[in-house]
Amino acid sequence: MEQYEPDSLSSAQLAAMRRSLRNGRASLTRRSLMRASAGGALALGGLGTLSACGIPAAKNTAGVSSEDHSAKEKQINFSNWTEYMDVDDSEKHHPTLDEFAKRTGIKVKYTEDINDNVEFFGKLKPQLAAGQDTGRDLICVTDWLAARLIRFGWVQKLNASNLPHAYANLSQQFRTPDWDPGRAYSYPWTGISTVIAYNKKALDGVEVKSLSDMLDNPKLKGRIGLLSEMRDSIGMTLLDMGKDPAKFTDDDFDAAIARLQKAVDQGQIRRFTGNDYTSDLTKGDLAACVAWAGDVVQLKADSPDVDFVIPESGYLTSTDNLLVPNKARHKTNAERLIDYYYEPGPAAQLAAYINYVCPVDGVKAELAKIDESAADNPLIIPDAAMAAKSHSFRSLSTKEETAYEEKFAKLTGA
């Protein structure tokens, strides 16, 4: 395991985090705005916790666990993102969690306290670095942070005997990330696909089937959008250039930056956005853009002009992942909850509500009973052809992440 060393964040990394907090996946989702279930803007004050000042270097905490109290304490403390769990019409109950408690007798204390990966990491790392209990048995974080936690030895290896459904039903495209081969420490909660979305009316007959179509056609000048998240925009550019985002070099990255810089200089790209691209796309101010599939599912339901395309070169997929932190008191209970969400029934209920890629094989028939259109939507249940085009952005070292974010920040003007 890699030894954790306190480090500070570069200005480019801080800028990237602020973009994420303002309008990336960390911002209020479209569904939350519609339901007005959790009002208020996210504060940037948490950024102050990101510095490691005052936090001692970690002890050798790899594999640290505590006595498992699952048998006597029928509970789980589960931290997740906002709007990432099914709710009933009263918006007071989570049906799948209630069913789990009824079936097992295990009560889940469910807390929506993850607004941003780095902000959340800032909350946990003092305890994790010191080998202390975080007060959480199960957390849900994006793949790059999951990779970091595994490298530092701050999460526990999962007991496969408690995960029969998860082991059997995990979709093939999510089985072997480079940061956790074989899923020894993590299981996906959802997949997050990055695709090309477009407004048919705004295109006015112009064909867009690839990133090159967006970047090179002068008829689309000033009406193209890319994402302000580095991995998404650079990953899609690498694919368009025939490079594998899982294996690229520094030179490949620089070539992708140069490709996008040319489009910026020519005025082809309107702007780099978080999920605030949705309003521009619906209005037609953006004719086409790099987009997150979860947004596209919602936009298509409301606007007949909005659609998407999967380029022949492929698309980017990341994951939000379930992990058990070191010193968690209820590891076995947490593993039972992970496994529960890999049963087709609960997985279908969750997918029908959150509209992200379901990582569970065999869920389509169950989802069709709830929402036939969702079951037929490849952005929620990828078919074999779409799954085959899925690619992941490789893990980055701290040095690489700093250098790449600085170059991307210069490109985007952040």
Side-chain angles (χ1 to χ4, degrees), residues 39-122:
L42 299 175
L44 289 177
L47 289 172
T49 68
L50 299 178
S51 170
C53 296
I55 299 174
K59 302 173 184 177
N60 184 6
T61 58
V64 171
S65 61
S66 62
E67 181 182 352
D68 192 348
H69 298 268
S70 292
K72 294 182 179 180
E73 298 177 5
K74 296 292 187 179
Q75 64 186 71
I76 304 169
N77 295 317
F78 181 9
S79 285
N80 205 350
W81 297 73
T82 58
E83 303 297 327
Y84 231 17
M85 181 67 73
D86 56 304
V87 298
D88 65 4
D89 291 339
S90 73
E91 299 185 3
K92 295 180 180 179
H93 300 282
H94 302 292
T96 56
L97 288 179
D98 292 346
E99 177 59 30
F100 175 79
K102 180 179 178 181
R103 183 197 298 186
T104 64
I106 299 170
K107 183 178 180 180
V108 181
K109 181 182 178 183
Y110 183 73
T111 307
E112 295 180 330
D113 61 345
I114 305 179
N115 292 321
D116 173 79
N117 284 288
V118 179
E119 182 186 43
F120 186 63
F121 181 56

Coordinates of all heavy atoms in Angstrom, one line a residue, residues 39-122:
G39 N -33.1 22.4 -0.4 CA -32.8 23.8 -0.9 C -31.4 24.3 -0.4 O -30.8 23.8 0.5
G40 N -31.0 25.4 -1.0 CA -29.8 26.0 -0.6 C -28.6 25.7 -1.5 O -28.5 24.6 -2.0
A41 N -27.8 26.6 -1.7 CA -26.6 26.4 -2.5 C -25.5 25.8 -1.7 O -25.5 25.9 -0.5 CB -26.1 27.7 -3.1
L42 N -24.6 25.1 -2.3 CA -23.5 24.4 -1.6 C -22.4 25.5 -1.3 O -22.1 26.3 -2.1 CB -22.9 23.3 -2.5 CG -23.8 22.2 -2.9 CD1 -23.1 21.3 -3.8 CD2 -24.2 21.5 -1.6
A43 N -22.0 25.4 -0.1 CA -21.0 26.4 0.4 C -19.6 26.0 0.0 O -19.3 24.8 -0.1 CB -21.0 26.6 1.9
L44 N -18.7 26.9 -0.2 CA -17.3 26.6 -0.6 C -16.5 26.6 0.7 O -15.3 26.4 0.6 CB -16.8 27.7 -1.5 CG -17.3 27.7 -2.9 CD1 -16.8 28.8 -3.8 CD2 -17.0 26.3 -3.6
G45 N -17.1 26.8 1.8 CA -16.3 26.9 3.0 C -15.5 25.6 3.3 O -14.5 25.6 3.9
G46 N -16.1 24.5 2.8 CA -15.4 23.2 3.0 C -14.0 23.1 2.4 O -13.3 22.2 2.7
L47 N -13.8 24.0 1.5 CA -12.5 23.9 0.8 C -11.3 24.1 1.8 O -10.2 23.7 1.6 CB -12.4 24.9 -0.3 CG -13.2 24.6 -1.6 CD1 -13.2 25.7 -2.5 CD2 -12.7 23.3 -2.3
G48 N -11.6 24.8 2.9 CA -10.6 25.1 3.9 C -10.1 23.8 4.5 O -9.0 23.8 5.0
T49 N -10.9 22.8 4.5 CA -10.5 21.5 5.1 C -9.6 20.7 4.2 O -9.1 19.6 4.6 CB -11.7 20.7 5.5 OG1 -12.4 20.2 4.3 CG2 -12.7 21.5 6.3
L50 N -9.4 21.1 3.0 CA -8.7 20.3 2.0 C -7.2 20.2 2.3 O -6.5 19.3 1.9 CB -9.0 20.7 0.6 CG -10.4 20.7 0.2 CD1 -10.6 21.2 -1.2 CD2 -11.0 19.3 0.3
S51 N -6.7 21.3 2.9 CA -5.3 21.3 3.2 C -5.0 20.3 4.3 O -5.8 20.1 5.2 CB -4.8 22.7 3.7 OG -3.6 22.7 4.2
A52 N -3.9 19.6 4.2 CA -3.5 18.6 5.2 C -2.8 19.2 6.4 O -2.2 18.5 7.2 CB -2.7 17.5 4.5
C53 N -2.7 20.5 6.5 CA -2.0 21.2 7.6 C -2.6 20.7 8.9 O -3.8 20.7 9.1 CB -2.1 22.7 7.5 SG -1.3 23.4 6.0
G54 N -1.7 20.3 9.8 CA -2.1 19.9 11.1 C -2.5 18.4 11.2 O -2.8 17.9 12.3
I55 N -2.5 17.7 10.1 CA -2.8 16.3 10.1 C -1.5 15.5 10.1 O -0.7 15.7 9.1 CB -3.7 15.9 8.9 CG1 -5.0 16.7 9.0 CG2 -4.0 14.4 8.9 CD1 -5.9 16.5 7.8
P56 N -1.3 14.7 11.0 CA 0.0 13.9 11.0 C 0.1 12.9 9.9 O -0.9 12.5 9.4 CB 0.0 13.2 12.4 CG -1.5 13.1 12.7 CD -2.1 14.3 12.1
A57 N 1.3 12.5 9.5 CA 1.5 11.5 8.5 C 0.8 10.2 9.0 O 0.8 9.9 10.2 CB 3.0 11.2 8.3
A58 N 0.2 9.5 8.1 CA -0.5 8.3 8.5 C 0.3 7.2 9.1 O 1.5 7.1 8.8 CB -1.2 7.7 7.3
K59 N -0.3 6.5 10.1 CA 0.4 5.3 10.5 C 0.2 4.2 9.4 O -0.5 4.4 8.5 CB -0.4 4.8 11.8 CG -0.3 5.9 12.9 CD -1.2 5.4 14.1 CE -1.3 6.4 15.2 NZ -2.2 6.0 16.3
N60 N 0.9 3.1 9.6 CA 0.7 2.0 8.7 C -0.7 1.4 8.9 O -0.8 0.4 9.7 CB 1.8 1.0 8.8 CG 1.7 -0.1 7.8 OD1 0.9 0.0 6.9 ND2 2.6 -1.1 7.9
T61 N -1.7 1.9 8.3 CA -3.1 1.5 8.6 C -3.6 0.5 7.6 O -4.8 0.2 7.7 CB -4.0 2.8 8.6 OG1 -3.9 3.4 7.3 CG2 -3.6 3.8 9.7
A62 N -2.8 0.0 6.7 CA -3.4 -0.9 5.7 C -4.0 -2.1 6.4 O -3.4 -2.8 7.2 CB -2.2 -1.4 4.8
G63 N -5.2 -2.4 6.0 CA -5.9 -3.6 6.5 C -6.5 -3.4 8.0 O -6.9 -4.4 8.6
V64 N -6.4 -2.2 8.5 CA -6.8 -1.9 9.9 C -8.4 -2.1 9.9 O -9.1 -1.6 9.1 CB -6.5 -0.5 10.3 CG1 -7.2 -0.2 11.7 CG2 -5.0 -0.4 10.5
S65 N -8.8 -2.9 10.9 CA -10.2 -3.1 11.1 C -10.5 -3.1 12.6 O -9.5 -2.9 13.4 CB -10.7 -4.4 10.5 OG -10.0 -5.5 11.1
S66 N -11.7 -3.1 13.0 CA -12.0 -3.2 14.4 C -12.9 -4.4 14.6 O -13.2 -5.1 13.6 CB -12.8 -1.9 14.8 OG -14.0 -1.8 14.1
E67 N -13.2 -4.7 15.8 CA -14.1 -5.9 16.0 C -15.4 -5.6 15.3 O -15.9 -4.5 15.4 CB -14.3 -6.0 17.5 CG -15.2 -7.2 17.9 CD -15.4 -7.3 19.4 OE1 -14.7 -6.5 20.2 OE2 -16.2 -8.1 19.8
D68 N -15.9 -6.6 14.6 CA -17.1 -6.4 13.9 C -18.3 -6.7 14.8 O -18.5 -7.8 15.4 CB -17.2 -7.4 12.7 CG -18.3 -7.2 11.8 OD1 -19.2 -6.3 12.1 OD2 -18.3 -7.7 10.7
H69 N -19.1 -5.6 15.1 CA -20.2 -5.7 16.0 C -21.5 -6.0 15.3 O -22.6 -5.8 15.9 CB -20.3 -4.4 16.7 CG -19.1 -4.0 17.6 ND1 -19.0 -4.4 18.9 CD2 -17.9 -3.4 17.3 CE1 -17.8 -4.0 19.4 NE2 -17.2 -3.4 18.4
S70 N -21.4 -6.4 14.0 CA -22.7 -6.6 13.2 C -23.7 -7.6 13.9 O -24.9 -7.3 13.8 CB -22.3 -7.1 11.8 OG -21.6 -6.2 11.1
A71 N -23.2 -8.6 14.5 CA -24.1 -9.6 15.0 C -24.9 -9.1 16.2 O -26.1 -9.4 16.3 CB -23.3 -10.8 15.5
K72 N -24.3 -8.2 17.0 CA -25.0 -7.6 18.2 C -25.7 -6.3 17.9 O -26.7 -6.0 18.5 CB -24.1 -7.5 19.3 CG -23.6 -8.9 19.9 CD -22.7 -8.7 21.1 CE -22.2 -10.0 21.6 NZ -21.3 -9.8 22.8
E73 N -25.1 -5.5 17.0 CA -25.6 -4.2 16.7 C -26.2 -4.2 15.3 O -25.5 -4.1 14.3 CB -24.5 -3.1 16.8 CG -23.9 -3.1 18.2 CD -22.8 -2.1 18.3 OE1 -22.5 -1.4 17.3 OE2 -22.1 -2.0 19.4
K74 N -27.5 -4.3 15.2 CA -28.2 -4.5 13.9 C -28.3 -3.1 13.3 O -29.5 -2.5 13.2 CB -29.5 -5.2 14.1 CG -29.4 -6.6 14.6 CD -28.8 -7.5 13.5 CE -28.8 -8.9 13.9 NZ -28.2 -9.8 12.9
Q75 N -27.3 -2.5 12.8 CA -27.3 -1.2 12.2 C -26.2 -1.0 11.2 O -25.2 -1.7 11.2 CB -27.2 -0.1 13.3 CG -25.9 -0.1 14.1 CD -25.9 0.9 15.2 OE1 -26.6 0.6 16.2 NE2 -25.2 2.0 15.1
I76 N -26.3 0.1 10.4 CA -25.3 0.5 9.4 C -25.4 2.0 9.3 O -26.5 2.6 9.3 CB -25.6 -0.1 8.0 CG1 -25.7 -1.6 8.0 CG2 -24.5 0.4 7.0 CD1 -26.2 -2.1 6.7
N77 N -24.2 2.6 9.3 CA -24.2 4.1 9.0 C -23.7 4.2 7.6 O -22.5 3.9 7.3 CB -23.2 4.7 10.0 CG -23.7 4.7 11.4 OD1 -24.9 4.9 11.7 ND2 -22.9 4.4 12.4
F78 N -24.5 4.8 6.7 CA -24.2 4.8 5.3 C -24.2 6.3 4.8 O -25.2 7.0 5.0 CB -25.4 4.0 4.6 CG -25.3 3.9 3.1 CD1 -24.2 4.4 2.3 CD2 -26.3 3.4 2.3 CE1 -24.1 4.3 1.0 CE2 -26.3 3.3 1.0 CZ -25.2 3.7 0.3
S79 N -23.1 6.7 4.3 CA -23.0 8.1 3.7 C -23.1 8.0 2.2 O -22.3 7.3 1.6 CB -21.7 8.7 4.1 OG -21.7 9.1 5.5
N80 N -23.9 8.9 1.6 CA -24.1 8.9 0.2 C -24.3 10.3 -0.3 O -24.4 11.3 0.4 CB -25.3 8.0 -0.2 CG -25.2 7.5 -1.6 OD1 -24.4 7.9 -2.4 ND2 -26.1 6.5 -1.9
W81 N -24.3 10.5 -1.7 CA -24.6 11.7 -2.3 C -26.1 12.1 -2.2 O -26.9 11.2 -1.9 CB -24.3 11.7 -3.8 CG -22.8 11.4 -4.1 CD1 -22.1 10.2 -4.0 CD2 -21.9 12.4 -4.6 NE1 -20.8 10.4 -4.3 CE2 -20.6 11.7 -4.8 CE3 -22.0 13.7 -5.0 CZ2 -19.5 12.3 -5.3 CZ3 -20.8 14.3 -5.5 CH2 -19.6 13.6 -5.7
T82 N -26.4 13.3 -2.3 CA -27.8 13.7 -2.3 C -28.5 13.2 -3.6 O -27.8 13.0 -4.6 CB -27.9 15.3 -2.3 OG1 -27.2 15.8 -3.5 CG2 -27.3 15.9 -1.1
E83 N -29.8 12.9 -3.5 CA -30.6 12.5 -4.6 C -30.1 11.2 -5.3 O -30.2 11.0 -6.5 CB -30.7 13.6 -5.7 CG -31.2 14.9 -5.2 CD -32.6 14.8 -4.7 OE1 -33.4 14.0 -5.3 OE2 -33.0 15.6 -3.8
Y84 N -29.6 10.3 -4.4 CA -28.9 9.1 -5.0 C -29.6 7.8 -4.4 O -29.0 6.8 -4.4 CB -27.5 9.1 -4.6 CG -26.5 8.9 -5.8 CD1 -27.0 9.0 -7.1 CD2 -25.2 8.5 -5.6 CE1 -26.1 8.7 -8.2 CE2 -24.3 8.3 -6.6 CZ -24.8 8.4 -7.9 OH -23.9 8.2 -9.0
M85 N -30.8 8.0 -3.9 CA -31.6 6.9 -3.3 C -33.1 7.1 -3.6 O -33.6 8.2 -3.7 CB -31.4 6.9 -1.8 CG -32.1 5.7 -1.1 SD -31.5 4.1 -1.5 CE -29.9 4.1 -0.6
D86 N -33.8 6.0 -3.9 CA -35.2 6.1 -4.1 C -35.9 6.6 -2.9 O -35.6 6.3 -1.8 CB -35.7 4.7 -4.5 CG -35.5 3.6 -3.5 OD1 -34.3 3.4 -3.1 OD2 -36.4 3.0 -3.0
V87 N -37.0 7.4 -3.2 CA -37.9 7.9 -2.1 C -39.3 7.7 -2.5 O -39.6 7.5 -3.7 CB -37.6 9.4 -1.8 CG1 -36.2 9.6 -1.4 CG2 -38.0 10.2 -3.1
D88 N -40.2 7.6 -1.5 CA -41.6 7.4 -1.8 C -42.3 8.8 -2.1 O -41.6 9.8 -2.1 CB -42.3 6.7 -0.7 CG -42.3 7.5 0.6 OD1 -41.9 8.7 0.7 OD2 -42.8 7.0 1.7
D89 N -43.6 8.8 -2.3 CA -44.3 10.1 -2.7 C -44.2 11.1 -1.6 O -44.3 12.3 -1.8 CB -45.7 9.8 -3.1 CG -45.8 9.0 -4.4 OD1 -44.8 9.0 -5.2 OD2 -46.8 8.4 -4.6
S90 N -44.1 10.6 -0.3 CA -44.1 11.6 0.8 C -42.7 12.2 1.0 O -42.6 13.2 1.7 CB -44.5 10.8 2.1 OG -43.4 10.0 2.5
E91 N -41.7 11.6 0.3 CA -40.3 12.0 0.3 C -39.8 11.9 1.7 O -38.8 12.6 2.1 CB -40.2 13.5 -0.2 CG -40.6 13.6 -1.7 CD -40.3 15.0 -2.3 OE1 -39.8 15.8 -1.5 OE2 -40.7 15.2 -3.4
K92 N -40.3 11.0 2.5 CA -39.9 10.8 3.9 C -39.3 9.4 4.1 O -38.6 9.1 5.1 CB -41.0 11.0 4.9 CG -41.5 12.4 4.9 CD -42.7 12.5 5.9 CE -43.2 14.0 6.0 NZ -44.4 14.1 7.0
H93 N -39.5 8.5 3.1 CA -39.1 7.1 3.3 C -38.3 6.7 2.0 O -38.6 7.1 0.9 CB -40.2 6.2 3.5 CG -41.0 6.5 4.8 ND1 -40.6 6.2 6.0 CD2 -42.2 7.2 4.9 CE1 -41.5 6.6 6.9 NE2 -42.5 7.2 6.3
H94 N -37.4 5.8 2.2 CA -36.6 5.1 1.2 C -37.1 3.7 1.1 O -36.7 2.9 1.9 CB -35.1 5.2 1.4 CG -34.6 6.6 1.6 ND1 -34.5 7.5 0.6 CD2 -34.1 7.2 2.7 CE1 -34.0 8.6 1.0 NE2 -33.7 8.5 2.3
P95 N -38.0 3.4 0.1 CA -38.6 2.1 0.0 C -37.6 0.9 0.0 O -37.8 -0.1 0.7 CB -39.4 2.1 -1.3 CG -39.7 3.5 -1.4 CD -38.5 4.3 -0.9
T96 N -36.5 1.0 -0.7 CA -35.6 -0.1 -0.8 C -34.8 -0.3 0.6 O -34.6 -1.4 1.0 CB -34.5 0.0 -1.9 OG1 -33.8 1.3 -1.8 CG2 -35.2 -0.1 -3.3
L97 N -34.5 0.8 1.2 CA -33.9 0.7 2.5 C -34.8 0.1 3.6 O -34.4 -0.7 4.5 CB -33.3 2.0 3.0 CG -32.1 2.6 2.3 CD1 -31.7 3.9 2.9 CD2 -30.9 1.6 2.4
D98 N -36.1 0.5 3.5 CA -37.1 0.0 4.4 C -37.3 -1.5 4.2 O -37.4 -2.2 5.2 CB -38.4 0.8 4.2 CG -38.4 2.2 4.6 OD1 -37.4 2.6 5.3 OD2 -39.3 3.0 4.2
E99 N -37.3 -1.9 3.0 CA -37.4 -3.3 2.7 C -36.2 -4.1 3.2 O -36.4 -5.2 3.8 CB -37.6 -3.6 1.2 CG -37.7 -5.0 0.8 CD -38.9 -5.8 1.4 OE1 -39.9 -5.1 1.7 OE2 -38.7 -7.0 1.7
F100 N -35.0 -3.6 3.1 CA -33.8 -4.2 3.6 C -33.9 -4.4 5.1 O -33.6 -5.5 5.7 CB -32.6 -3.4 3.2 CG -31.3 -3.9 3.8 CD1 -30.7 -5.0 3.3 CD2 -30.8 -3.3 5.0 CE1 -29.5 -5.5 3.8 CE2 -29.6 -3.8 5.5 CZ -29.0 -4.9 5.0
A101 N -34.4 -3.3 5.8 CA -34.5 -3.4 7.3 C -35.5 -4.4 7.7 O -35.4 -5.1 8.7 CB -34.9 -2.0 7.8
K102 N -36.7 -4.5 7.0 CA -37.7 -5.4 7.3 C -37.2 -6.8 7.1 O -37.5 -7.7 7.9 CB -38.9 -5.1 6.4 CG -40.1 -6.1 6.6 CD -41.2 -5.7 5.6 CE -42.4 -6.7 5.8 NZ -43.5 -6.3 4.9
R103 N -36.5 -7.1 6.1 CA -36.0 -8.4 5.7 C -34.9 -8.9 6.7 O -34.9 -10.1 7.1 CB -35.5 -8.5 4.3 CG -35.0 -9.9 3.9 CD -34.1 -9.8 2.7 NE -34.8 -9.3 1.5 CZ -34.2 -9.3 0.3 NH1 -32.9 -9.9 0.1 NH2 -34.8 -8.8 -0.8
T104 N -34.0 -8.0 7.1 CA -32.8 -8.4 7.8 C -32.8 -8.0 9.3 O -32.0 -8.5 10.1 CB -31.6 -7.8 7.2 OG1 -31.6 -6.3 7.3 CG2 -31.4 -8.2 5.7
G105 N -33.7 -7.0 9.6 CA -33.7 -6.5 11.0 C -32.5 -5.5 11.2 O -32.3 -5.0 12.3
I106 N -31.8 -5.1 10.1 CA -30.7 -4.2 10.2 C -31.2 -2.8 9.9 O -31.7 -2.5 8.8 CB -29.6 -4.6 9.3 CG1 -29.0 -6.0 9.7 CG2 -28.5 -3.5 9.3 CD1 -28.1 -6.5 8.6
K107 N -31.1 -1.8 10.8 CA -31.5 -0.5 10.6 C -30.4 0.3 9.9 O -29.3 0.3 10.3 CB -31.9 0.2 11.9 CG -32.5 1.6 11.7 CD -32.9 2.2 13.1 CE -33.5 3.6 12.9 NZ -33.9 4.2 14.2
V108 N -30.8 1.1 8.9 CA -29.8 1.9 8.1 C -29.9 3.3 8.5 O -31.0 3.9 8.3 CB -29.9 1.7 6.6 CG1 -28.8 2.5 5.9 CG2 -29.8 0.2 6.2
K109 N -28.9 3.9 9.1 CA -28.8 5.4 9.3 C -28.3 5.9 8.0 O -27.1 5.9 7.7 CB -28.0 5.7 10.5 CG -28.0 7.2 10.7 CD -27.1 7.6 11.9 CE -27.0 9.1 12.1 NZ -26.1 9.5 13.2
Y110 N -29.1 6.5 7.2 CA -28.7 6.9 5.8 C -28.6 8.4 5.8 O -29.5 9.2 6.2 CB -29.8 6.6 4.8 CG -29.5 6.9 3.4 CD1 -28.5 6.2 2.7 CD2 -30.2 8.0 2.7 CE1 -28.2 6.6 1.4 CE2 -29.8 8.3 1.4 CZ -28.9 7.6 0.8 OH -28.6 7.9 -0.5
T111 N -27.4 8.9 5.5 CA -27.0 10.3 5.5 C -26.6 10.8 4.2 O -25.6 10.2 3.6 CB -25.9 10.6 6.6 OG1 -26.3 10.0 7.8 CG2 -25.7 12.0 6.8
E112 N -27.2 11.9 3.7 CA -26.8 12.5 2.4 C -25.8 13.6 2.7 O -26.1 14.8 2.6 CB -28.0 13.0 1.7 CG -29.0 11.9 1.3 CD -30.2 12.5 0.5 OE1 -30.6 13.6 0.8 OE2 -30.7 11.8 -0.3
D113 N -24.6 13.2 3.0 CA -23.6 14.2 3.4 C -22.4 14.3 2.5 O -21.3 14.8 2.9 CB -23.1 13.9 4.9 CG -22.4 12.6 5.0 OD1 -22.6 11.7 4.1 OD2 -21.8 12.3 6.1
I114 N -22.5 13.8 1.3 CA -21.5 13.9 0.3 C -21.9 14.9 -0.8 O -22.8 14.6 -1.6 CB -21.1 12.5 -0.4 CG1 -20.8 11.5 0.7 CG2 -19.9 12.7 -1.3 CD1 -20.4 10.1 0.2
N115 N -21.2 16.0 -0.8 CA -21.5 17.0 -1.9 C -20.4 17.1 -2.9 O -20.6 17.5 -4.0 CB -21.6 18.4 -1.2 CG -22.9 18.5 -0.3 OD1 -23.9 18.0 -0.7 ND2 -22.7 19.2 0.8
D116 N -19.2 16.6 -2.6 CA -18.1 16.7 -3.4 C -17.1 15.7 -2.9 O -16.9 15.6 -1.7 CB -17.5 18.1 -3.4 CG -16.2 18.2 -4.2 OD1 -16.3 18.2 -5.5 OD2 -15.2 18.2 -3.6
N117 N -16.4 15.0 -3.8 CA -15.4 14.0 -3.4 C -14.3 14.5 -2.5 O -14.0 14.0 -1.4 CB -14.8 13.3 -4.6 CG -15.7 12.3 -5.3 OD1 -16.0 11.2 -4.8 ND2 -16.2 12.7 -6.5
V118 N -13.7 15.6 -2.9 CA -12.6 16.2 -2.2 C -13.0 16.8 -0.8 O -12.4 16.6 0.2 CB -11.8 17.2 -3.0 CG1 -10.6 17.8 -2.2 CG2 -11.4 16.5 -4.3
E119 N -14.2 17.4 -0.8 CA -14.7 18.0 0.4 C -15.0 16.8 1.4 O -14.6 16.9 2.6 CB -16.0 18.7 0.1 CG -16.6 19.4 1.3 CD -18.0 20.0 1.0 OE1 -18.8 19.3 0.3 OE2 -18.2 21.1 1.5
F120 N -15.5 15.7 0.9 CA -15.8 14.6 1.8 C -14.5 13.9 2.3 O -14.4 13.5 3.4 CB -16.7 13.6 1.0 CG -17.1 12.4 1.8 CD1 -18.0 12.6 2.9 CD2 -16.8 11.1 1.5 CE1 -18.4 11.5 3.7 CE2 -17.2 10.0 2.3 CZ -18.0 10.2 3.3
F121 N -13.5 13.8 1.4 CA -12.2 13.3 1.8 C -11.6 14.1 2.9 O -11.0 13.6 3.8 CB -11.3 13.3 0.6 CG -9.9 12.7 0.8 CD1 -9.8 11.5 1.3 CD2 -8.8 13.5 0.5 CE1 -8.5 11.0 1.6 CE2 -7.5 13.0 0.7 CZ -7.4 11.7 1.3
G122 N -11.8 15.4 2.8 CA -11.3 16.3 3.9 C -12.0 16.0 5.2 O -11.3 16.2 6.3

